Amino acid sequence: MLNRQGRPTTPGAAVESAHPTFTGNRALQQEEPLIFEFGRTDVIGVDLDEPAPVADRLGGLKRKDTIGLPGLSEPEAMRHYVRLSQKNYGIDTGLFPLGSCTMKHNPRLNERMARLPGFADIHPLQPASTVQGALALMDELAHWLKELTGMPAVTLSPKAGAHGELAGMAAIKAAIAARGETATRNVVLVPDSAHGTNPATAALIGFTVKAVPAREDGTVDPAEVAKLAGPDTAAIMLTNPNTCGLFERDVVEIARVIHEAGGYFYCDGANFNAIVGKARPGDLGVDAMHINLHKTFSTPHGGGGPGAGPVVLSDRLAAFAPLPYVRLDDGRFSLVEHAAVSDQSPLGRLTAFHGQMGMFVRALAFMLSHGADGLKQASEDAVLNANYVRACLADLMSLPFGNRACMHEVLFDDAWLKGTGVTTLDFAKAMIDEGYHPMTVYFPLVVHGAMLIEPTESESKASLDLFIATLRDLAFAVRDGDTARFTGAPYHAPRRRLDETRAARQPVLRWTAPAPVAEAAE
């Protein structure tokens, strides 16, 4: 077996094939080497004429060695990346149950709209007179977001959820500065069940973070908030529904406590998909909330981007919204990119331009195709699907807060695995063998061995039934003591299980040519 750098494990098969292949391929499952392993560094894949001599202006900076990149023909390069793409799992491959991620279907209608030349081929530096349609779309998207959240202002420029958190918390910091309280109001309260980006964002911009413990039912107790809130409180960062899949029923009281202490209420909108059309954050006392368009409104998550995390703001924070924003004057749209400096002025820019235009188009297409009633039904269906999964698995898998109704995601813990020799990670790896991406594991941190499942509204009952039957089969295998099915999983993936500790502590991030092997003497 070839020793491939960065991949210390062997191709995964439940047992070695009785008929091994010369290539290492198994029918359509291609054994794809690294590009450096089959590309030659001494050739290039295209023919180029020798360039005419030119004066050397690089001085001592001119490269002396070869660049060392692999040379491939166009077919070789194309096949390599297509084969790699076929090893990916995505929402177009199957159900994607990652909790708190809302991996819903990306409708092809949205993709078609985003590819219209008037949206796809424009440039952010074009004159406003040539992009009136795009600006009108941004204005209408902003209107929908404000209506759905009950908030008077929105900034579209943040590029992702965490970037939106930064925008909202920066607006809060600017508002505190305008009140002359920067030196004294510097504490942000964050529940134990929060997404990790919440305390990270607060710390990044200079706040001190204090944790708010969860009560036994997985929600935040306003009495605990009241104990921690005081004249030094800048804000609370609360997710609702929270990451345990539960609605914070005391959210209005929590908002009152924070406001009476002089602070602001930041809501993490990652789980907004559970309440669209059902509850408006502005009506619950929220001052700022980011909205993940790539979750709630079906735009693609991408490979780390492009995302979009617009932030809605209350009257208390609207004046501090970052630039730019769209304005309509005498029937013409424009981008306001500069503002006079005052105590109530925008906090400035968080990004070079106006945000992710393609994501704006997709999100508005989703909204318009569903309508207000359809968006409400989507949230209701998301909650229904999660509760269907809960009801069908509650007899086999343990629920940390009891078998009670959840919101858009259902949380299991590892109590049911105790004494079996199988861990949450083992169970998740076995799901890969069954053709499913695992659920979110070991999060939220308030639950031991957490398994967080969010099916979204995209899945049909038939799809959910197959997923549920698969998890039940795995759960029965755990009960029957078939530990080998789990502890060695995945068996059927292109690669077997990584040594995750070693991968984290000793990552191999750069390919180096293997040392030549001396030929044996005859």
Side-chain angles (χ1 to χ4, degrees):
M1 188 66 62
L2 292 175
N3 178 21
R4 305 195 185 282
Q5 294 185 46
R7 297 179 292 171
T9 52
T10 56
V15 293
E16 288 297 323
S17 171
H19 302 285
T21 61
F22 175 78
T23 59
N25 300 333
R26 295 192 295 277
L28 295 181
Q29 186 170 322
Q30 303 287 320
E31 171 58 21
E32 189 65 16
L34 299 176
I35 196 169
F36 285 93
E37 292 176 327
F38 72 93
R40 292 174 50 190
T41 58
D42 58 335
V43 300
I44 59 175
V46 295
D47 291 326
L48 297 174
D49 294 334
E50 188 70 25
V54 295
D56 181 6
R57 296 189 293 175
L58 297 176
L61 298 177
K62 186 175 181 179
R63 176 181 288 276
K64 298 179 176 61
D65 299 324
T66 59
I67 195 169
L69 294 177
L72 292 86
S73 66
E74 181 175 324
E76 288 175 323
M78 176 64 72
R79 290 167 186 161
H80 174 68
Y81 288 107
V82 168
R83 287 171 178 170
L84 289 181
S85 73
Q86 291 169 342
K87 299 181 187 301
N88 288 340
Y89 189 97
I91 192 61
D92 290 343
T93 308
L95 186 153
F96 215 124
L98 280 174
S100 270
C101 291
T102 315
M103 305 293 285
K104 64 171 66 178
H105 172 62
N106 310 133
R108 290 306 174 264
L109 171 64
N110 304 356
E111 299 301 316
R112 185 174 181 181
M113 295 300 101
R115 284 165 174 74
L116 291 174
F119 299 129
D121 296 341
I122 57 176
H123 192 279
L125 294 180
Q126 281 184 230
S129 60
T130 66
V131 290
Q132 287 294 296
L135 295 177
L137 182 142
M138 293 171 63
D139 184 68
E140 185 167 359
L141 174 63
H143 170 74
W144 274 80
L145 294 176
K146 289 185 289 187
E147 285 294 316
L148 290 170
T149 59
M151 305 282 264
V154 63
T155 174
L156 298 177
S157 61
K159 299 292 187 67
H163 200 203
E165 286 182 25
L166 179 64
M169 293 304 292
I172 289 173
K173 189 170 187 178
I176 291 172
R179 288 159 44 177
E181 298 181 322
T182 300
T184 57
R185 197 170 288 278
N186 52 19
V187 173
V188 173
L189 307 181
V190 180
D192 285 340
S193 61
H195 292 106
T197 50
N198 291 181
T201 298
L204 177 68
I205 58 177
F207 290 116
T208 298
V209 177
K210 286 187 179 179
V212 182
R215 50 190 169 191
E216 290 187 0
D217 66 356
T219 60
V220 174
D221 187 345
E224 290 294 330
V225 176
K227 292 177 185 178
L228 296 169
D232 62 350
T233 302
I236 188 170
M237 299 182 77
L238 183 77
T239 306
N240 196 24
N242 66 27
T243 60
C244 298
L246 305 172
F247 189 83
E248 294 285 356
R249 62 182 183 274
D250 294 313
V251 60
V252 173
E253 177 63 12
I254 291 170
R256 185 193 65 77
V257 170
I258 292 296
H259 289 153
E260 286 189 357
Y264 296 91
F265 186 171
Y266 184 92
C267 182
D268 184 325
N271 294 338
F272 189 43
N273 197 55
I275 60 172
V276 176
K278 304 290 289 185
R280 302 196 311 171
D283 299 335
L284 305 177
V286 171
D287 292 304
M289 184 180 85
H290 75 267
I291 302 168
N292 300 82
L293 297 187
H294 50 285
K295 293 185 179 183
T296 308
F297 299 109
S298 83
T299 71
H301 280 64
V311 177
V312 288
L313 300 165
S314 69
D315 285 327
R316 304 175 71 205
L317 294 176
F320 304 99
L323 298 169
Y325 58 86
V326 178
R327 182 172 62 193
L328 178 63
D329 290 319
D330 298 326
R332 304 289 291 179
F333 290 100
S334 62
L335 272 178
V336 177
E337 303 192 68
H338 304 281
V341 177
S342 70
D343 289 342
Q344 298 287 314
S345 62
L347 61 88
R349 283 182 177 271
L350 290 176
T351 185
F353 297 113
H354 54 256
Q356 300 284 14
M357 190 67 213
M359 300 302 109
F360 298 161
V361 178
R362 291 173 173 88
L364 186 60
F366 184 79
M367 295 172 179
L368 294 178
S369 60
H370 280 69
D373 57 341
L375 293 176
K376 178 182 178 182
Q377 182 182 339
S379 288
E380 291 173 343
D381 289 348
V383 173
L384 178 64
N385 283 354
N387 278 281
Y388 183 58
V389 172
R390 174 190 57 80
C392 291
L393 295 176
D395 61 323
L396 293 175
M397 299 169 64
S398 50
L399 294 146
F401 305 112
N403 191 10
R404 53 188 284 203
C406 61
M407 294 297 289
H408 64 303
E409 55 192 355
V410 56
L411 177 62
F412 299 96
D413 63 14
D414 64 354
W416 68 284
L417 294 174
K418 186 176 181 180
T420 65
V422 175
T423 66
T424 289
L425 183 65
D426 295 333
F427 191 82
K429 296 295 186 182
M431 288 175 64
I432 297 174
D433 280 337
E434 297 292 342
Y436 286 106
H437 192 288
M439 71 288 275
T440 296
V441 295
Y442 299 112
F443 179 84
L445 301 178
V446 295
V447 168
H448 195 275
M451 290 174 264
L452 187 60
I453 298 174
E454 181 182 358
T456 83
E457 75 276 13
S458 298
E459 302 306 321
S460 66
K461 184 175 182 297
S463 173
L464 291 177
D465 284 341
L466 180 58
F467 176 71
I468 291 165
T470 302
L471 265 58
R472 289 187 66 83
D473 181 74
L474 290 171
F476 279 122
V478 172
R479 286 191 172 187
D480 292 342
D482 188 6
T483 56
R485 179 175 176 181
F486 299 89
T487 56
Y491 294 100
H492 302 297
R495 287 290 178 271
R496 295 290 298 279
R497 190 184 304 198
L498 292 172
D499 180 340
E500 298 190 12
T501 301
R502 179 185 168 199
R505 295 179 178 177
Q506 300 176 341
V508 180
L509 305 178
R510 181 176 180 180
W511 182 84
T512 54
V517 179
E519 294 185 8
E522 294 184 3

